[in-house]
Amino acid sequence: MEAKRFKIRRNIWLTEKLYLLELEGSFNQTPIPGQFVHIKIEPFFLRRPFSIAGYKDNYLKILYRIAGRATDILAQKKEDELLGLIGPSGNGFPVNKKWENVYLAAGGTGIAPLLFLAETLKKKNCNITFFYGARTSDCIAFNILPYGVNYVFSTDDGSYGYKGLVGDILKRYIMENGVPDVIYSGGPYEMLRKIAEISKKYNLSAFVSLENRMACGVGICYGCVTKIKCKDGWEYKRVCKDGPVFNTEEVLWE
Ligand SMILES: Cc1cc2nc3c(=O)[nH]c(=O)nc-3n(C[C@H](O)[C@H](O)[C@H](O)COP(=O)(O)OP(=O)(O)OC[C@H]3O[C@@H](n4cnc5c(N)ncnc54)[C@H](O)[C@@H]3O)c2cc1C
Ligand code: FES
């Protein structure tokens, strides 16, 4: 992990409050899917964490939604401006060459790390089914979705794809089409909990990217902790340092 300045190449509006930021720069360590960067957005003292949505040839992609004041300022940044990044941070998704039939389950901006993961898994010739849930059809940015992947869309209001929540759709899909070798997921906590329930029921390997609020982002303040099972019951683990990716089995879901 290191601090570097990256140059904005594109910062484009996609849909609703969703933006794609393309940054030029590099870290000494090549990022892997599931890792994140901590971005300094002036005038805020605390950096803001964002999953790496893609990395290739010194270009790093971030997919972000305007959620508050810092992301609002980020959306106004222009080409050629510099941004201070710390990264690549966190552990990333584990990949096993035996896992060929893969389900990706994304809700909202939780899709960001899975876009990067899908590109990596495609190179390994995995058979990928991508479950993508959004509030309405207006929230889906179709133009950033990777090719060569089987999509199962859903929306809360049924305006595109199935009507319902990603977890329920995925459960039904498993009943009709069988189990995958692994599930990777990113999205709201409730959705990740549902993925954990499904993986337990079918005895599947499943990994989730948690998005706890962060302060230092480098493992010092313990402001981002989550409860992880251990032999004595549970212990706190830092999402920024020990995660953000966890096996669903080890998380103490609350
Ligand atoms: C590991 C990690 C990866 C992330 N990846 C992405 C990503 O790829 N794209 C993206 O759009 N966002 C991502 N986030 C969330 C992003 O960091 C927050 O949306 C951002 O920090 C909000 O800053 P703000 O100042 O605009 O909003 P604030 O003013 O700080 O907050 C506005 C609202 O957003 C909520 N909020 C703030 N931070 C979080 C958070 N971490 N989780 C849930 N709700 C939050 C607050 O409770 C508040 O309601 C990620 C978070 C983590 C921890
Ligand atoms: S944010 Fe400080 S330890 Fe994770």
Side-chain angles (χ1 to χ4, degrees), residues 48-51 63-65 67-71 109 112 211-213:
R48 299 298 198 267
F50 298 93
S51 300
L63 178 75
Y64 68 96
R65 190 181 147 268
R69 291 174 304 154
T71 40
T109 51
E211 289 196 4
N212 290 19
R213 293 208 75 167

Side-chain angles (χ1 to χ4, degrees), residues 17 41 44 48 50 64-76 213:
K17 290 183 171 181
I41 303 168
F44 299 100
R48 299 298 198 267
F50 298 93
Y64 68 96
R65 190 181 147 268
I66 298 183
R69 291 174 304 154
T71 40
D72 194 26
I73 291 176
L74 188 60
Q76 293 160 38
R213 293 208 75 167

Side-chain angles (χ1 to χ4, degrees), residues 213-225 238-241:
R213 293 208 75 167
M214 290 182 182
C216 74
V218 291
I220 297 167
C221 73
Y222 278 71
C224 63
V225 290
R238 297 157 298 180
V239 170
C240 68
K241 190 83 177 173

Side-chain angles (χ1 to χ4, degrees), residues 10 15 26 34 44 48 58 64 104 127 141 171 173 189 199 215 230 252:
R10 288 203 304 166
T15 179
S26 65
F44 299 100
R48 299 298 198 267
N58 291 352
Y64 68 96
L104 305 183
N127 177 22
K171 195 172 171 187
Y173 192 92
Y189 188 82
S199 62
C230 66
L252 189 76

Side-chain angles (χ1 to χ4, degrees), residues 153-177:
F153 291 102
S154 55
T155 45
D156 296 353
D157 64 354
S159 51
Y160 194 81
Y162 293 100
K163 181 176 181 184
L165 301 173
V166 175
D168 297 328
I169 309 293
L170 186 138
K171 195 172 171 187
R172 202 161 71 211
Y173 192 92
I174 284 181
M175 288 193 285
E176 288 168 9
N177 299 279

Side-chain angles (χ1 to χ4, degrees), residues 40-90:
K40 177 81 177 145
I41 303 168
E42 297 291 354
F44 299 100
F45 173 71
L46 292 179
R47 291 169 179 264
R48 299 298 198 267
F50 298 93
S51 300
I52 301 171
Y55 183 80
K56 198 179 167 199
D57 303 331
N58 291 352
Y59 273 79
L60 187 142
K61 283 188 201 169
I62 303 290
L63 178 75
Y64 68 96
R65 190 181 147 268
I66 298 183
R69 291 174 304 154
T71 40
D72 194 26
I73 291 176
L74 188 60
Q76 293 160 38
K77 298 277 177 199
K78 300 273 179 285
E79 198 182 317
D80 290 337
E81 283 189 58
L82 293 173
L83 279 178
L85 268 61
I86 291 180
S89 303

